[in-house]
Amino acid sequence: MNSVLYPACAAAALLAFIYKVRVLRTDRSMTQIFLLANFLLLTLIFTVSTPVVWVATSRAVGIVNFSGLFTQSCVILMAASQQMILLSLSHAPKTAVRKARPRLIALGLALVAMIILFSAATSRHENPTDFAVAKAQFYPSYLLVYLVTYGISQIDVQLLCIRYAKIAPTPWLRRGLYLVGLTMPIALVYTVTRLADIVAGQFGISGHAWEPLAQWSVTIATVVNIVGWTLPDWGRYLSTLWQAWDKRRAYRDLMDLHRSLTTQIPEPVLPLGADAKLDTRLYRRMVEIRDAQWALRPWMYPGVRAFVDEECDRAGLTGNERAAVTEAALLRAAVWAKVHDESPLEHDLNPRAADPEDLASELAFQRQLAHAFTAAPIAHAAETCRAGAASALSNEESPLT
């Protein structure tokens, strides 16, 4: 299985490394340097962990299973790189170095212990596909030092991620850090499976039964890790795509409301050329809806607002939701009145129930208004009551007066 999974992880890490190298032209900060080191170490780990490369590397060095020591040492160095990234993000360089010093010393001691214990753990046979499982029974000390160091470092990385994400200056950096933090539980699955190898080995049992779980967990953790560390760079493109898609959806959302109003009040509609951009079309649609709304005032009975207020109170509607339903009810009743040439002697002087502060808020409100116009029961009830009231010569008995 690792003949497929590990090369895929190596390729992903290499792509991330190449993608980030370009940043060094303009930013040679500690953060960027250690981020590149993180991706380079990931590339080395999964390249050498590929069975064919594993055997070739150990043979070239002349030490059996040297690839195991190399890759697991790279994992410890990668943890150190991640800690340096997070500390440099949240502290000035001197402070980051000071806070990193005890961590780096601890990781360095762990590496020395691993090298010493590996010397005793080396066997006569290469284990490119099951190095950890094969060594768990006879040399548990080496794996125990590695796993404890790895597990503690991953917990530390998650805590640092969560701590800095709360003050991250950009949304995509915050999301990326949270995503990196999510790799810790997945990485701990790998750690637990390897610890299970050690325990099982002491009873003469092989851990091959859960080996796929270890391989898949480390693969998933790696992919999520890569995505999380690179997300601040390419996440903004997702925002751009989302905004473009949302504008198209907003343009469609306003379609029925715009058509219903401008069919009765066509004067606000200005012809646009075929090359008009979506932003222009959307803005014009918003303006035309408001212009038509004001033009429909002569057909707005004051009693409609009183009826809607009573119904909204009964339904417990407040805020923009109430305002959207109120305006939708006034518009539906006014459209009905104009179609049937039922203009009241007095009309509502202000067709608005909300005054958004900016263009984004206005668009959001108009989308609420469009939804209420077509779907709100209170808006339809106001139109129905208006139609019933129109059949009487006097409005004194109507709920709309």
Side-chain angles (χ1 to χ4, degrees), residues 253 256-257 321 324-325 328-329 332 367-381 383:
D253 289 345
D256 290 341
L257 174 62
E321 185 180 10
V325 169
R332 289 199 71 92
R367 294 174 77 171
Q368 283 185 289
L369 172 59
H371 176 75
F373 185 83
T374 58
I378 294 176
H380 286 272
E383 179 184 2

Side-chain angles (χ1 to χ4, degrees), residues 116-181:
I116 294 172
L117 293 170
F118 176 83
S119 301
T122 303
S123 66
R124 297 180 180 179
H125 305 287
E126 289 287 349
N127 300 101
T129 59
D130 59 353
F131 172 73
V133 179
K135 291 290 176 286
Q137 180 176 2
F138 301 106
Y139 304 98
S141 299
Y142 168 81
L143 279 180
L144 189 61
V145 171
Y146 165 67
L147 292 173
V148 170
T149 305
Y150 173 73
I152 292 175
S153 64
Q154 289 305 301
I155 293 173
D156 186 42
V157 166
Q158 185 190 46
L159 294 176
L160 290 172
C161 281
I162 294 174
R163 191 178 305 160
Y164 183 67
K166 295 177 181 178
I167 59 172
T170 63
W172 284 111
L173 177 57
R174 181 169 60 253
R175 293 163 188 158
L177 290 173
Y178 278 128
L179 197 57
V180 171

Side-chain angles (χ1 to χ4, degrees), residues 4 24 33 181 201 227 244 250 337 349 371 374:
V4 177
L24 287 181
I33 291 172
V227 172
L349 296 178
H371 176 75
T374 58

Side-chain angles (χ1 to χ4, degrees), residues 9-49:
C9 289
L14 180 59
L15 288 175
F17 175 80
I18 295 172
Y19 179 76
K20 290 296 294 182
V21 163
R22 61 185 178 81
V23 178
L24 287 181
R25 292 179 298 180
T26 56
D27 183 2
R28 296 188 180 182
S29 63
M30 184 185 300
T31 301
Q32 297 299 336
I33 291 172
F34 280 103
L35 191 55
L36 276 170
N38 176 70
F39 292 135
L40 179 59
L41 288 166
L42 270 175
T43 303
L44 293 173
I45 290 166
F46 286 100
T47 299
V48 177
S49 293

